[in-house]
C-alpha cells in the first residue's frame, strides 16, 4: 500500500477535494502515523477562507491528530510501532497518514479514546500557553507545570466559558488553584461547567457584555477571553483589576484597542496554541507540554470533551466546518475518522 486519501484545499476559498496522495516515508526524527481521529477547529475554515498560515496550495487542513505509530524514523527514541499518539500542528490531519516530528508528539494515556485525544490538542494547548507559559506568549502563571496550586485565593473570569477552549481553561484555572472561576456561557452548560471547576456561571442569554462590565468592573486578576470579538474586548478590559495579571485574547484584536490597553497599563497576550514551527518560545513550552500533559490527562486532572463523529470519514469534514462557521456547534467537538473514507 503506497497511496492514501487526503482532503485538500486546492486554492483559497475553493471547495475541499478528496484526492489520492502517496503515503510519506518518515524522515529522521519522525514517526509515520495512521490517523484515526482528526478534530475540527474554527481555525480550519478560517484558513480555507482567508489563507492565514497557508504557505502554498494545495493544502491539507486539520490541526488535531490522534493515531497509531506504524513506522519509526531514524534517530527516534521512546516511540515504538503501535504506540498511540496525539499531535498538534497548523495543518495536515485531514488525511489518512502523516509523518510527524516525534519530539512534539504526545503519548495518549490508556484512559483516552482516539476521538477524545484527537479533539483536544489545539484547544488544550491554547489554554496552557495563554495561562501557564511565560511572557511574551502567555501570562506566566505556571511555566513549569508545578503541582502546588500557586494561585489559591485568586479569581479569574472566562468569557466564552462554554467554548472548547473555555472548557479546558476552566480546568486549567482549577489546576492552578484559583478559588473563584467565573464563566460567561450559555446557562444550559451550568452543571457541566461547574463539574469542571467553574464556581459561578453568568448566563450569556440573560446578560450582555455591557452588563458583565458594569457588574464585575475591576474584579478579576486574570481574564481569559475565549470570544475576543465584539463586546468581549471592552468587557475584558473593564473587568481586569488594576494591577491584575492580565488578559488572554484568542483572536487578533484591533491595534487601537491594544494601544488603549497599553495606555491603561493593562497586560495582555494574543495567544497562539500552536506548539511548533512558530516561535522558539512556543517550541520550548511545547516540549514541556509533551512532558507534562499526558500525566495530567492520565490522572484525570484535565478531562477531554464530548465528541460527535462525522459520517463518511473525510467526506464529512466540509459539512462539519460549515456548521462551525455558522456557529451551529455548541458543547461538542466534531471529529472525522479518516480511515473510514471510501474512494467512490
Ligand atoms: N489563538 C489560538 O491559537 C486559538 C486556538 C483555538 C481557538 N481559537 C479561537 O478561539 C475561539 C473559540 O474556539 P473554540 O474551538 O473553543 O470554539 P467552539 O468550541 O466552536 O466554541 C463555540 C462556543 O463559543 C461560545 N460563544 C460564542 N460566542 C460567544 C459569546 N459572544 N459569548 C460567550 N460565548 C460565546 C458558545 O458557547 P455557548 O454554548 O456557551 O453559547 C459557542 O457554542 C474561536 O474564535 C477560535 O478561532 C484560537
Amino acid at each position: 500500500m503506497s497511496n492514501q486519501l487526503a482532503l485538500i484545499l486546492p486554492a483559497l476559498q475553493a471547495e475541499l477535494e478528496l484526492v489520492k496522495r502517496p503515503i510519506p516515508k518518515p524522515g529522521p526524527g519522525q514517526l509515520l502515523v495512521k490517523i484515526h481521529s482528526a478534530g475540527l477547529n474554527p481555525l480550519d475554515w478560517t484558513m480555507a477562507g482567508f489563507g492565514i498560515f497557508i504557505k502554498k496550495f494545495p493544502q491539507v487542513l486539520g490541526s488535531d491528530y490522534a493515531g497509531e505509530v506504524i513506522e519509526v524514523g531514524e534517530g527516534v527514541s521512546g516511540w515504538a510501532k503501535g504506540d498511540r499518539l496525539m499531535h498538534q500542528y497548523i495543518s495536515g490531519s485531514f488525511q489518512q497518514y502523516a509523518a510527524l516530528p516525534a519530539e512534539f508528539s504526545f503519548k495518549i494515556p490508556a484512559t483516552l479514546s482516539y476521538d477524545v485525544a484527537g479533539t483536544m490538542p489545539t484547544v488544550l494547548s491554547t489554554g496552557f500557553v495563554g495561562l501557564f507559559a511565560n511572557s511574551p506568549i502567555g501570562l506566566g502563571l505556571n511555566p513549569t507545570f508545578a503541582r502546588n496550586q500557586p494561585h489559591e485565593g485568586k479569581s479569574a473570569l472566562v468569557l466564552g466559558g462554554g467554548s472548547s477552549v473555555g472548557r479546558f481553561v476552566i480546568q486549567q484555572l482549577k489546576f492552578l488553584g484559583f478559588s473563584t472561576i467565573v464563566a460567561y456561557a450559555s446557562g444550559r452548560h451550568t452543571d457541566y461547567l461547574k463539574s469542571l471547576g467553574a464556581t459561578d456561571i453568568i448566563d450569556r442569554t440573560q446578560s450582555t457584555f455591557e452588563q458583565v462590565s458594569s457588574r464585575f468592573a475591576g474584579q478579576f486578576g486574570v481574564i481569559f477571553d475565549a470570544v475576543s470579538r465584539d463586546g468581549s474586548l471592552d468587557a475584558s478590559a473593564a473587568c481586569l483589576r488594576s494591577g491584575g495579571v492580565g488578559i488572554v485574547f484568542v483572536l487578533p484584536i484591533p491595534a487601537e484597542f491594544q494601544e488603549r490597553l497599553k495606555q491603561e497599563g493593562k497586560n495582555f497576550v494574543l495567544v497562539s496554541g500552536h506548539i511548533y514551527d512558530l516561535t522558539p518560545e512556543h517550541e520550548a513550552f511545547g516540549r514541556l507540554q509533551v512532558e507534562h500533559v499526558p500525566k495530567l490527562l492520565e490522572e484525570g486532572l484535565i478531562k477531554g470533551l464530548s465528541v460527535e463523529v462525522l459520517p463518511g470519514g473525510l467526506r464529512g469534514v466540509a459539512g462539519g466546518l460549515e456548521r462551525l462557521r455558522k456557529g451551529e456547534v455548541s458543547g461538542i467537538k466534531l471529529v472525522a475518522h479518516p480511515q473510514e473514507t471510501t474512494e467512490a
Side-chain angles (χ1 to χ4, degrees):
M1 186 188 55
S2 58
N3 280 326
Q4 62 162 325
L5 292 170
L7 196 64
I8 58 161
L9 176 71
L12 188 62
Q13 295 179 357
E15 287 195 5
L16 297 175
E17 209 178 288
L18 197 62
V19 298
K20 266 192 194 167
R21 300 214 316 184
I23 296 175
K25 290 298 287 177
Q30 290 187 328
L31 300 164
L32 179 62
V33 178
K34 183 175 185 177
I35 303 168
H36 290 299
S37 300
L40 278 63
N41 286 287
L43 175 67
D44 307 323
W45 66 257
T46 313
M47 285 175 69
F50 300 99
I52 52 162
F53 295 126
I54 297 184
K55 292 178 188 148
K56 65 177 168 68
F57 292 99
Q59 174 79 41
V60 176
L61 300 173
S63 50
D64 284 338
Y65 301 67
E68 157 196 3
V69 174
I70 56 167
E71 198 179 330
V72 177
E74 196 189 315
V76 173
S77 58
W79 287 93
K81 213 173 147 178
D83 281 350
R84 291 168 6 110
L85 161 158
M86 66 182 190
H87 194 88
Q88 195 287 329
Y89 187 56
I90 297 163
S91 56
S93 67
F94 296 156
Q95 57 186 335
Q96 293 179 313
Y97 297 87
L100 301 170
E103 68 170 320
F104 294 113
S105 295
F106 296 76
K107 293 258 169 73
I108 302 178
T111 46
L112 259 56
S113 68
Y114 279 127
D115 285 339
V116 170
T119 47
M120 62 165 61
T122 298
V123 282
L124 181 61
S125 172
T126 302
F128 278 129
V129 174
L131 292 172
F132 286 42
N134 274 328
S135 172
I137 63 171
L139 295 182
L141 296 177
N142 188 356
T144 59
F145 287 83
R147 296 292 186 113
N148 59 354
Q149 302 217 313
H151 298 278
E152 215 167 332
K154 296 182 188 161
S155 62
L157 172 66
V158 187
L159 298 177
S163 68
S164 309
V165 172
R167 287 162 189 240
F168 280 122
V169 165
I170 289 167
Q171 299 182 69
Q172 288 157 336
L173 289 164
K174 183 181 177 194
F175 174 77
L176 289 169
F178 278 77
S179 304
T180 303
I181 303 170
V182 178
Y184 179 69
S186 290
R188 65 179 180 280
H189 302 314
T190 296
D191 290 347
Y192 178 66
L193 297 183
K194 285 195 169 176
S195 79
L196 297 180
T199 52
D200 303 276
I201 310 296
I202 311 165
D203 185 344
R204 79 177 186 99
T205 64
Q206 306 293 322
S207 295
T208 63
F209 283 123
E210 290 73 23
Q211 288 168 323
V212 171
S213 301
S214 46
R215 181 169 157 205
F216 294 101
Q219 288 195 25
F220 296 95
V222 167
I223 304 205
F224 198 105
D225 184 350
V227 180
S228 295
R229 56 186 154 76
D230 309 326
S232 86
L233 303 182
D234 284 325
S236 291
C239 295
L240 186 68
R241 183 164 37 76
S242 162
V245 182
I247 308 167
V248 180
F249 293 109
V250 295
L251 294 177
I253 60 171
E256 319 81 76
F257 190 78
Q258 295 190 39
E259 201 44 48
R260 179 189 132 188
L261 291 176
K262 283 178 195 158
Q263 280 173 8
E264 290 174 1
K266 290 178 173 158
N267 182 39
F268 65 94
V269 292
L270 306 179
V271 69
S272 172
H274 292 142
I275 286 186
Y276 64 100
D277 215 5
L278 198 62
T279 69
E281 289 87 358
H282 281 89
E283 296 202 354
F285 188 72
R287 288 189 183 89
L288 271 183
Q289 289 203 68
V290 166
E291 182 187 341
H292 291 281
V293 170
K295 292 178 213 155
L296 299 182
L297 296 172
E298 192 165 11
E299 291 171 40
L301 291 168
I302 303 285
K303 294 184 177 64
L305 306 174
S306 304
V307 303
E308 176 189 324
V309 179
L310 295 166
L314 294 169
R315 291 179 191 281
V317 169
L321 292 183
E322 189 56 12
R323 284 169 60 196
L324 278 181
R325 193 182 66 76
K326 289 181 175 161
E328 293 173 357
V329 181
S330 167
I332 202 117
K333 282 291 287 183
L334 302 181
V335 63
H337 286 175
Q339 303 303 322
E340 290 173 6
T341 318
T342 52
E343 276 188 50

